[in-house]
Amino acid sequence: MKPGSDTQIDALLSEQAAGWFIRLVANDLSARERREYLAWLKASDRHVEALLDIYRYHGYGRKAKLNVRAMPNEDSGANVIPFTPRGATVVHHKREVPRRRRVLKIAATLAGIAFTVVIGWIVKVAYFDQRITTDVGEWGRTMLADGSVLRIGPNTQLRWSFDDGQRLIVLSRGEAVFEVAKDPDRPFIVTTPLGDVRAIGTQFGVAFMNATTAVVTVAHGKVAVTKPHDGRPADDGSADVAELVADQQIVMSAAGAQPVKDVDASRELQWATGYYEFRGETVSQAIEQFNRRNRLQVVMADDRIGEIAMPFTTVKLDDPETFAAMLAARPDVQVAYESADVIRLLPE
């Protein structure tokens, strides 16, 4: 799976840095959260730079102690600010500031406060409420406190909790791709009712689209799959099912796990981009890809339509209408809009 673009990652980093900024200024971090904050800073230089950008925006030019600076002379310019040692007496020569300038300065300050409050609320919802739910037809993307990136499919519900020993994701329904930030001291665990997936730093996808089947696909690195254990390791190894490496997949159900198989992970997880490349699958298989992700459903009036081989093409997974129109171009298929939520494929 190709990672997200630098622009998308930078945007996520900026939002996350804003979240830490709000918490740091409010000084309400617990001891555990402070350790998470330090781990986040150490994870990448980009994290440090993103946080510094937030500090600079809000006028915190320096966070460390400042050394003595020479007093400016008359020619140094009005933008040079002298710094003096702690405890020294500073005499300021008051300058007249036009009333209009004072008013504009106050307005700018209030605007900055309002901006901070709004950003703080948005970041709280995104990063500290620790749960995400997407609707049918809705794709999501977020970055967690440790720097891991989640790409979330439609009709998905998940929540997470981090502590000193592990990073736990509970996937109640739907599908997600996890780009896991490396943290050897805290395994990254995705748990479903059918099994758990444990990793340290890797990229993999988990699809739990119904109550009977869960599919784990690894794009990079290695993961361990175990029987359901609420994210906790089984000390005796009895819960171990399999270890997967890149381009491998396993399907789990209530009856047990199928054998590990080799796959093209980049294609299997391509749905996370919102697109899918069909390579000769049947129409029935294509309909399944659309129907489980969209409110507008495609149904067949004749099962023989489902046996038709799809052309080699790439389509948007949130656009079943274009998919139906493509089939309608065939001489043996016609399309009828049965209702606002149903498109029916009919034999010609």
Side-chain angles (χ1 to χ4, degrees):
M1 171 73 60
K2 183 181 178 181
S5 68
D6 285 344
T7 301
Q8 291 174 316
I9 295 298
D10 286 342
L12 290 169
L13 282 175
S14 296
E15 292 179 13
Q16 192 172 21
W20 286 120
F21 172 79
I22 297 298
R23 300 297 299 277
L24 290 167
V25 171
N27 195 27
D28 66 348
L29 292 175
S30 66
R32 178 178 60 81
E33 289 170 331
R34 288 188 180 278
R35 288 193 292 271
E36 284 190 5
Y37 162 66
L38 292 175
W40 178 80
L41 278 182
K42 293 177 183 178
S44 171
D45 291 342
R46 296 175 71 178
H47 294 187
V48 177
E49 187 59 34
L51 186 61
L52 286 175
D53 285 342
I54 299 294
Y55 270 92
R56 294 185 190 111
Y57 180 85
H58 288 278
Y60 294 82
R62 292 175 177 269
K63 294 179 289 181
K65 291 182 180 179
L66 297 167
N67 297 324
V68 179
R69 298 282 184 88
M71 291 293 289
N73 56 37
E74 294 297 328
D75 299 325
S76 61
N79 291 327
V80 179
I81 303 174
F83 295 98
T84 58
R86 185 185 298 273
T89 301
V90 182
V91 178
H92 295 284
H93 297 282
K94 186 175 181 181
R95 298 174 59 186
E96 287 296 325
V97 180
R99 182 175 182 276
R100 178 178 175 81
R101 187 180 301 175
R102 289 200 303 270
V103 171
L104 290 175
K105 185 175 181 180
I106 293 171
T109 301
L110 292 175
I113 293 172
F115 172 82
T116 301
V117 170
V118 172
I119 287 296
W121 180 83
I122 292 173
V123 169
K124 176 184 181 298
V125 171
Y127 295 108
F128 298 104
D129 283 355
Q130 299 186 329
R131 67 177 62 241
I132 289 178
T133 301
T134 58
D135 201 353
V136 176
E138 177 186 6
W139 272 256
R141 185 184 180 95
T142 192
M143 179 179 287
L144 304 182
D146 67 333
S148 298
V149 176
L150 274 58
R151 285 179 283 178
I152 302 125
N155 197 27
T156 296
Q157 184 176 62
L158 60 80
R159 56 184 172 85
W160 62 91
S161 61
F162 289 2
D163 58 31
D164 294 338
Q166 67 179 18
R167 297 167 287 173
L168 180 64
I169 308 288
V170 179
L171 181 63
S172 302
R173 70 168 187 263
E175 57 191 347
V177 172
F178 306 91
E179 298 173 21
V180 181
K182 290 186 178 180
D183 187 346
D185 296 328
R186 293 193 301 169
F188 190 97
I189 301 169
V190 178
T191 181
T192 76
L194 298 175
D196 299 346
V197 185
R198 179 180 297 263
I200 293 177
T202 185
Q203 183 178 347
F204 63 95
V206 180
F208 181 55
M209 302 308 300
N210 51 54
T212 61
T213 305
V215 182
V216 180
T217 307
V218 179
H220 302 295
K222 181 171 67 174
V223 305
V225 178
T226 65
K227 296 176 183 177
H229 212 255
D230 295 328
R232 300 188 305 274
D235 296 334
D236 59 0
S238 61
D240 294 351
V241 173
E243 284 192 350
L244 277 67
V245 297
D247 290 319
Q248 287 189 331
Q249 183 181 84
I250 190 170
V251 178
M252 298 178 292
S253 67
Q258 297 179 12
V260 175
K261 62 181 180 180
D262 296 331
V263 296
D264 181 354
S266 63
R267 184 163 178 266
E268 293 288 326
L269 301 178
Q270 190 180 37
W271 63 261
T273 66
Y275 289 84
Y276 195 83
E277 181 184 3
F278 290 104
R279 299 179 183 175
E281 288 92 339
T282 64
V283 168
S284 179
Q285 291 172 321
I287 288 175
E288 192 274 334
Q289 292 284 342
F290 283 99
N291 283 355
R292 65 189 177 95
R293 296 185 174 102
N294 293 279
R295 195 173 305 280
L296 180 60
Q297 300 287 286
V298 180
V299 299
M300 296 178 295
D302 191 322
D303 289 341
R304 289 175 297 179
I305 296 175
E307 299 172 1
I308 297 172
M310 287 284 297
F312 282 59
T313 184
T314 299
V315 298
K316 290 188 65 177
L317 286 175
D318 63 352
D319 190 6
E321 289 181 285
T322 297
F323 163 71
M326 178 180 63
L327 292 176
R330 295 176 54 94
D332 53 348
V333 178
Q334 60 177 325
V335 173
Y337 281 80
E338 189 169 291
S339 70
D341 294 327
V342 176
I343 296 177
R344 186 171 293 274
L345 304 181
L346 304 164
E348 187 63 48

